[in-house]
Amino acid sequence: APQLKYGAATKEAKRLIYSSFLGLDSLFPLKGDVLIIPKLYGKITVLTPRIVKHVRKRRKMLWAWVEESEVVKTVEHLEDLKMLESLGADAAFCEFPERLNPN
């Protein structure tokens, strides 16, 4: 079904992140149409401008994964959503979207 958009597998997203940190991202093509990547993983910033540039260069969509846990920081305020948007995320993906509603 070529008209459908496919999310990148976890393995592909990890390869993108690791290769970006090593400066080798141009060596790894992206097969998925949408990459869902956390803003933070523990104390490590994962959603970096370099990753955004890599994803944009390949004309893929980028969603910021936000989840309530001790590992991935939750977007708690509208300002955080605006920051993700300014960084280049196309959307925010989470378990509880009603918690992202500023009203």
Side-chain angles (χ1 to χ4, degrees):
Q3 74 280 12
L4 298 177
K5 300 288 183 194
Y6 294 93
T10 302
K11 192 175 189 179
E12 182 178 6
K14 284 181 181 178
R15 198 171 37 237
L16 165 72
I17 293 164
Y18 297 145
S19 65
S20 177
F21 283 126
L22 296 172
L24 302 173
D25 40 8
S26 62
L27 300 176
F28 294 92
L30 301 175
K31 296 176 185 175
D33 299 305
V34 179
L35 281 103
I36 303 172
I37 298 176
K39 177 183 166 190
L40 297 173
Y41 185 77
K43 294 185 180 196
I44 299 170
T45 300
V46 176
L47 189 55
T48 64
R50 183 180 182 96
I51 286 180
V52 172
K53 182 179 176 184
H54 179 69
V55 172
R56 290 286 172 252
K57 186 176 181 182
R58 282 147 185 83
R59 296 187 176 106
K60 307 293 183 175
M61 293 184 69
L62 179 64
W63 293 3
W65 170 252
V66 251
E67 124 184 6
E68 279 197 333
S69 76
E70 295 174 314
V71 179
V72 181
K73 182 179 185 273
T74 302
V75 173
E76 297 172 343
H77 303 95
L78 185 58
E79 294 79 32
D80 289 334
L81 285 176
K82 289 179 182 177
M83 187 279 305
L84 289 173
E85 181 181 25
S86 71
L87 187 58
D90 294 302
F93 183 83
C94 66
E95 294 178 72
F96 304 102
E98 67 276 3
R99 294 182 186 169
L100 298 178
N101 188 351
N103 298 327

